[in-house]
Amino acid sequence: MLRLKSICVLMLATSALSLISYPVKAALINFNSQGNITAIKGLQIKDNSYNVEFVQDTFSNLFGNPSNLTLLPTFWLDAEGAKASINAIDRILETTYPSVIASDKTQGTTDYIIPQQSASPRVATIDEQGNITYLPTNLFGGLWGNYSNYYQDRQRDELYNTLCQINVYCSVNIYRMINPEIFAGTDINSPRTFAIFSPNANKLIPEPSNIVGLGIMGILTLLISKKIRYKFI
């Protein structure tokens, strides 16, 4: 009796747990009229959801000087978060090939940067006593998205497939770099394509059907429990 009752309750509990899990929503990709990618909405990075906008500008216009920031880049103090965000973006971009990131209305790019403090170059002077003085620098560092490598290898793959059809070359593997590259020593006044992050305000909430399902699971658990009890008493 106890075993049968336990099995029934366990099955219902498992069903209830599956109902209360939040629905996973896929990230949405925004394109301009030229078919280039302008933004990614609802990108999951670790435990947080972000909206990502690709902006071509200079570091100084967006954030100021590394030694005197006017706006703190989202992952400036979070090296692991910067790596996770690069990998999350690249995985999304791989699904959009051959679309590229919009750099302006007519041109696109496969490169983008996420500014990160630990990748920033440090310029210093050492006096006669060996004292080190770090100087303000007009250079910034960050992590460089690897989508450019993936994109180029996809193009190479297509070329080799064409050659294969005429029995010229028939062996190719798409290579994707997993670890983001450090992109250090870039002038803060040099235009680059940046990934700009903002928190995604759309919170995931349980769907109404899930709430109803929970109620049904609870009632069934109670009824089955009583039925088994009365049957064996």
Side-chain angles (χ1 to χ4, degrees):
M1 177 185 72
L2 292 177
R3 185 179 179 183
L4 178 59
K5 180 179 178 180
S6 299
I7 292 174
C8 292
V9 173
L10 179 61
M11 291 176 62
L12 290 171
T14 303
S15 301
L17 287 175
S18 66
L19 286 171
I20 63 175
S21 60
Y22 285 2
V24 177
K25 295 185 178 180
L28 299 178
I29 305 170
N30 290 356
F31 299 87
N32 62 13
S33 57
Q34 280 69 40
N36 294 334
I37 302 162
T38 60
I40 301 173
K41 306 294 184 181
L43 180 66
Q44 192 71 20
I45 302 174
K46 292 187 173 181
D47 296 327
N48 298 309
S49 180
Y50 294 91
N51 295 327
V52 186
E53 183 181 3
F54 296 104
V55 177
Q56 188 182 48
D57 206 333
T58 65
F59 184 94
S60 58
N61 284 343
L62 294 172
F63 309 107
N65 189 290
S67 60
N68 185 26
L69 293 172
T70 56
L71 177 65
L72 185 69
T74 300
F75 297 102
W76 185 250
L77 303 176
D78 182 4
E80 291 303 316
K83 292 179 182 179
S85 62
I86 285 280
N87 288 328
I89 292 174
D90 280 352
R91 283 193 295 268
I92 292 292
L93 294 182
E94 288 173 9
T95 68
T96 66
Y97 178 86
S99 296
V100 295
I101 299 169
S103 58
D104 58 36
K105 291 183 178 180
T106 59
Q107 297 179 347
T109 179
T110 57
D111 298 329
Y112 65 94
I113 297 176
I114 296 178
Q116 216 287 305
Q117 184 187 53
S118 63
S120 298
R122 304 186 74 183
V123 180
T125 60
I126 305 177
D127 61 22
E128 295 179 354
Q129 287 73 38
N131 298 317
I132 300 176
T133 303
Y134 290 100
L135 305 176
T137 174
N138 65 336
L139 303 178
F140 77 93
L143 297 184
W144 187 11
N146 291 315
Y147 178 59
S148 57
N149 297 321
Y150 174 84
Y151 189 93
Q152 292 166 5
D153 284 337
R154 281 292 297 267
Q155 290 181 317
R156 194 177 300 114
D157 182 33
E158 292 173 353
L159 172 61
Y160 289 158
N161 284 336
T162 301
L163 295 176
C164 182
Q165 293 178 3
I166 56 176
N167 298 320
V168 176
Y169 191 91
C170 291
S171 177
V172 62
N173 291 316
I174 295 178
Y175 174 67
R176 178 183 183 272
M177 298 181 65
I178 298 175
N179 296 319
E181 297 178 357
I182 293 179
F183 195 88
T186 305
D187 192 292
I188 62 174
N189 295 312
S190 176
R192 289 290 186 272
T193 300
F194 294 90
I196 307 298
F197 298 84
S198 61
N200 181 19
N202 295 326
K203 303 294 183 180
L204 294 181
I205 59 175
E207 295 179 353
S209 58
N210 290 350
I211 298 174
V212 173
L214 282 174
I216 294 174
M217 288 296 119
I219 295 172
L220 287 176
T221 301
L222 180 61
L223 292 177
I224 291 176
S225 176
K226 288 184 177 181
K227 183 176 181 180
I228 293 176
R229 180 183 176 188
Y230 292 149
K231 183 177 180 179
F232 287 92
I233 289 179

